[in-house]
Amino acid sequence: MKPFVVNRYGRIVLPFNFFPELDFSVFQTLDQFTAVIKRDFEEKAPTEAEVGARLEAGSYQGRYDVLRDVALNLFWVNRYAMTMYEKRPLRWRDVPRHRDDVFLPVFKPWDGSELATAMEAGYRTLKPSWDEATEDKVFRILFDVFRHKLWAGAELPAIKPTVAEILANPRSLTYHLLAYDPDYPGYAYDDIIECHHEVPELEALLRQAMVLHNQYRWDRSKTRLIEVAKLDPDDFVVVFHPRHEAVLDFIRRVRGGQRQRLARPSPVESRRPVTPYPPVEVAKRFTVMPRLEGLGIQKGEHVCTNDDLIRNAAYCWSPMTAVEILAKTGIAQREYTELDLDHLALLAARRALAKSGRRPEEIGAVLFCSCTTTKIMPSVATWLSGQLGIFQTHASCDIIAACAGFPYGLAEAVRLLQEIERPVLVVCAERFSDKIGTVRTSRMIFGDGAGAVVVGPAPTGAPPDIEVFQTYASGPMSEVDSIIWPNPDFDNNITVYGPEVRALVKRYLTQMIGELRALPRPDGTSGSLMDAIDLVVPHQANKTMVVKLATAAGIDPARCYFNIERVGNTSSASIPIAIHDAVSEGVIDRPLRVFAPGFGAGAVGGYVVMRVDPAIVA
């Protein structure tokens, strides 16, 4: 988990965007690790020569642009030290000679003084981007690091030699500190977290500069490269220690050439069902009709705006403005919570239960829908049952159906009603904020939230509130794996592969609309069920994408309700939260027939056509 923090200014800070921390348990080979480093550090960063060439060619529009490139270059230069090692200055006589967990870096000399001088002159000719004083402060920090760098970034090996190995080649060059002060000034963790600037881009750059300064906590002007054979016992060298045991285990795996894990199975070609699965028409299929009795939600208590994302720009993010994020996703902000997921779900469940007027002993089943739960035993559903004072249910279980969780939960609730003829509590909750890490595409989209609904048996002879439901799953593996968590290729963070997601949403929306157009209008008049829909409340996935695909499928965007611009994508919880907000805003001001489609990870999909009375919403 990678939780956010809220600093004293009330702003969200994502520490892991500034302090690289990789999960080395997922790397079996050096090639796997190198691929991640290349993607996150190298592909975004210019080399030293490229920064100089861009300055000489006049490619930079302002000082911020060149400073950002220099910061990216220095993150790349420190890509192995920051992710794998701690640097500890130590007298040569005190350095262990025969341990396998102590390393010395080897460098090839590189004189960048002429380039640094030219870059400084080029920087001075540029106009300030926003704040000259702050930009000059960042310049002083970054260029002090850059001009005293004694090697080029491309020549660094990931696995450093042990002391015994470097001594085997006495002419190997390593770091020698001519002077070392253990109290050399640096930036404390709180300095970085509490950093504040009105310009989001500069706030992120200030943090990056502080982190990079701390990579060299000594007088950088008093350093040189020296052959290890020429070291005196009192000379200070920089010893590299693995940051934690997982790094050391990885180094030992690579050095030992341990047998690799068995290859994952290859999928067979996807084949469509022999016959399509028809949507379930509740009144025709079941005897106990479902009634929606109460709906409650709980949103995250912290707002994370698009500007907040930019304040937290990571070393692996391409530049993007707040306006560009809004245009790409339809999201201006998302809401995060510091509550545990089960606590968030409990608050929504209590509200729904209270609104329904049902007592705990009346509830016959609890269904919990989520794709971000980390509680396996007990299941969140059984935990909620106990917290709510429900002594026993016919069934309390968790359902993992990602963004189709709400349709899946309601479908299962209708089925359970036939057995137990008692109310079913369906709770949908997600906490994405601590599972995204440095994956910007996911960070732009996902938020936290919970929604719950009580589905009870309708009075005899009354029509069902849930009229039609449908669920789907699977497809080609490219769509099944379109959203992954945990994803070892991205440090076990949630990752979204956009083209594949668009493909599955298009496929499912087209299928859903076709099914609704094939069903008759409920009142028996001419037309289809689709014609009788008053409002479409889709899963709040990505407004820009959904509007485009809905239009292509023949749905007028004016018939759709969105609240994603304020709350982000809350996966299984997005539809109940959207219904709540539609009632709050007066969009649902009377009983309406609502079509609520959902689609997402695992290539799951589903929808419900239901009658929503605003009176049920807490």
Side-chain angles (χ1 to χ4, degrees):
M1 300 299 102
K2 297 180 178 179
F4 64 90
V5 298
V6 179
N7 67 17
R8 67 186 177 192
Y9 299 103
R11 285 182 172 162
I12 284 176
V13 182
L14 312 176
F16 36 85
N17 279 8
F18 303 100
F19 304 101
E21 186 73 31
L22 301 180
D23 182 357
F24 279 81
S25 68
V26 304
F27 301 129
Q28 294 303 306
T29 67
L30 187 58
D31 287 343
Q32 288 177 307
F33 171 65
T34 302
V36 170
I37 291 295
K38 181 178 181 180
R39 180 195 66 218
D40 287 354
F41 290 86
E42 184 174 342
E43 290 181 356
K44 300 294 193 303
T47 65
E48 299 88 350
E50 287 171 340
V51 176
R54 291 174 187 176
L55 271 169
E56 186 177 355
S59 301
Y60 293 113
Q61 300 300 308
R63 292 182 174 180
Y64 167 79
D65 298 323
V66 65
L67 291 174
R68 187 179 187 278
D69 269 3
V70 172
L72 290 178
N73 171 266
L74 292 174
F75 270 101
W76 170 60
V77 167
N78 285 277
R79 59 196 180 276
Y80 300 129
M82 299 183 83
T83 56
M84 298 181 70
Y85 305 101
E86 288 182 0
K87 300 174 181 176
R88 301 179 188 174
L90 199 63
R91 292 191 186 275
W92 180 235
R93 66 164 177 257
D94 296 326
V95 175
R97 295 324 197 241
H98 304 293
R99 285 171 52 173
D100 73 346
D101 61 346
V102 178
F103 305 89
L104 275 181
V106 176
F107 300 111
K108 293 181 180 180
W110 173 78
D111 185 3
S113 57
E114 184 176 338
L115 176 59
T117 300
M119 288 170 59
E120 180 173 359
Y123 169 83
R124 297 296 182 191
T125 64
L126 295 170
K127 61 182 180 181
S129 300
W130 290 288
D131 178 347
E132 183 173 8
T134 299
E135 289 162 30
D136 282 349
K137 176 182 177 180
V138 172
F139 169 81
R140 288 192 296 272
I141 298 172
L142 292 179
F143 272 76
D144 185 55
V145 173
F146 185 89
R147 71 166 49 91
H148 292 110
K149 183 165 61 72
L150 304 178
W151 64 93
E155 298 173 345
L156 299 174
I159 308 297
K160 311 303 181 187
T162 64
V163 180
E165 288 169 339
I166 200 173
L167 287 173
N169 182 3
R171 301 192 65 182
S172 298
L173 297 175
T174 195
Y175 238 156
H176 173 211
L177 308 185
L178 300 177
Y180 175 60
D181 177 7
D183 290 322
Y184 187 82
Y187 297 98
Y189 178 83
D190 283 349
D191 294 332
I192 298 168
I193 297 302
E194 302 297 341
C195 175
H196 171 82
H197 197 281
E198 288 304 318
V199 178
E201 289 85 351
L202 290 184
E203 186 171 309
L205 191 59
L206 276 165
R207 290 198 178 100
Q208 292 172 353
M210 293 179 194
V211 169
L212 290 165
H213 167 88
N214 283 354
Q215 283 294 304
Y216 307 89
R217 293 285 291 271
W218 50 77
D219 186 343
R220 291 178 281 275
S221 67
K222 296 181 179 179
T223 59
R224 65 173 180 169
L225 296 181
I226 188 173
E227 294 180 7
V228 291
K230 297 180 180 179
L231 285 167
D232 291 329
D234 284 335
D235 287 343
F236 276 95
V237 295
V238 180
V239 177
F240 280 34
H241 287 257
R243 292 174 64 87
H244 42 70
E245 196 66 27
V247 173
L248 182 58
D249 287 344
F250 167 70
I251 293 172
R252 287 169 175 162
R253 283 198 299 275
V254 171
R255 286 175 171 269
Q258 295 181 13
R259 190 174 67 175
Q260 303 306 308
R261 293 175 180 170
L262 295 176
R264 293 174 62 84
S266 299
V268 300
E269 182 182 356
S270 295
R271 299 187 179 185
R272 295 184 179 276
V274 176
T275 57
Y277 300 103
V280 178
E281 298 178 78
V282 173
K284 293 181 179 180
R285 185 74 64 88
F286 300 111
T287 57
V288 180
M289 297 297 103
R291 179 188 178 201
L292 301 178
E293 297 184 347
L295 184 150
I297 70 162
Q298 177 66 39
K299 297 180 181 179
E301 66 275 14
H302 297 292
V303 170
C304 178
T305 66
N306 291 346
D307 275 346
D308 289 325
L309 296 189
I310 294 167
R311 295 180 197 284
N312 286 279
Y315 51 89
C316 55
W317 288 7
S318 301
M320 202 169 189
T321 67
V323 172
E324 289 170 338
I325 294 173
L326 178 62
K328 188 175 183 67
T329 66
I331 302 171
Q333 66 179 47
R334 64 287 302 142
E335 295 176 337
Y336 293 160
T337 184
E338 293 184 84
L339 300 176
D340 291 335
L341 178 65
D342 50 11
H343 189 179
L344 188 74
L346 179 62
L347 295 177
R350 283 175 174 166
R351 291 195 175 104
L353 202 60
K355 186 63 179 178
S356 72
R358 294 289 188 174
R359 303 184 305 276
E361 58 268 28
E362 295 180 83
I363 301 300
V366 177
L367 303 175
F368 178 69
C369 305
S370 178
C371 60
T372 56
T373 179
T374 56
K375 184 190 285 290
I376 305 302
M377 292 186 292
S379 69
V380 177
T382 55
W383 183 87
L384 289 171
S385 301
Q387 287 285 330
L388 293 168
I390 303 171
F391 185 79
Q392 190 174 73
T393 63
H394 178 66
S396 289
C397 60
D398 293 359
I399 299 173
I400 302 175
C403 300
F406 188 65
Y408 265 72
L410 291 185
E412 192 59 34
V414 173
R415 296 186 188 105
L416 279 169
L417 276 179
Q418 312 312 307
E419 297 178 15
I420 60 177
E421 300 183 16
R422 304 182 196 188
V424 178
L425 174 62
V426 178
V427 185
C428 301
E430 307 288 0
R431 186 182 181 194
F432 284 98
S433 58
D434 61 345
K435 303 172 183 69
I436 297 172
T438 56
V439 182
R440 190 191 64 183
T441 51
S442 304
R443 179 63 64 185
M444 291 192 302
I445 294 171
F446 291 113
D448 303 337
V453 61
V454 176
V455 184
T460 303
D465 282 347
I466 300 172
E467 298 175 327
V468 176
F469 66 80
Q470 173 68 290
T471 57
Y472 321 105
S474 197
M477 275 304 301
S478 60
E479 294 179 15
V480 171
D481 274 347
S482 60
I483 307 174
I484 303 176
W485 178 68
N487 186 353
D489 290 338
F490 280 84
D491 200 34
N492 280 336
N493 297 319
I494 289 174
T495 45
V496 177
Y497 298 96
E500 289 76 13
V501 171
R502 286 191 290 273
L504 78 89
V505 174
K506 179 180 180 181
R507 173 166 66 92
Y508 279 146
L509 266 181
T510 302
Q511 187 173 353
M512 292 172 182
I513 302 306
E515 291 176 359
L516 295 185
R517 286 181 174 151
L519 291 174
R521 197 178 182 107
D523 59 10
T525 59
S526 62
S528 68
L529 177 57
M530 190 67 218
D531 299 324
I533 300 297
D534 297 310
L535 185 68
V536 180
V537 182
H539 158 55
Q540 310 289 298
N542 174 320
K543 184 177 180 179
T544 305
M545 176 188 72
V546 172
V547 166
K548 185 179 296 185
L549 293 175
T551 301
I555 300 176
D556 183 354
R559 298 176 67 191
C560 300
Y561 173 82
F562 291 97
N563 68 343
I564 189 173
E565 65 272 8
R566 300 187 303 276
V567 300
N569 177 343
T570 55
S571 192
S572 67
S574 74
I575 293 174
I577 291 176
I579 291 172
H580 171 278
D581 286 1
V583 171
S584 297
E585 295 171 21
V587 176
I588 300 178
D589 58 357
R590 63 193 185 284
L592 296 181
R593 179 173 285 112
V594 172
F595 166 46
F599 23 74
V604 296
Y607 63 83
V608 290
V609 175
M610 56 186 173
R611 175 184 170 275
V612 176
D613 188 331
I616 70 166
V617 175

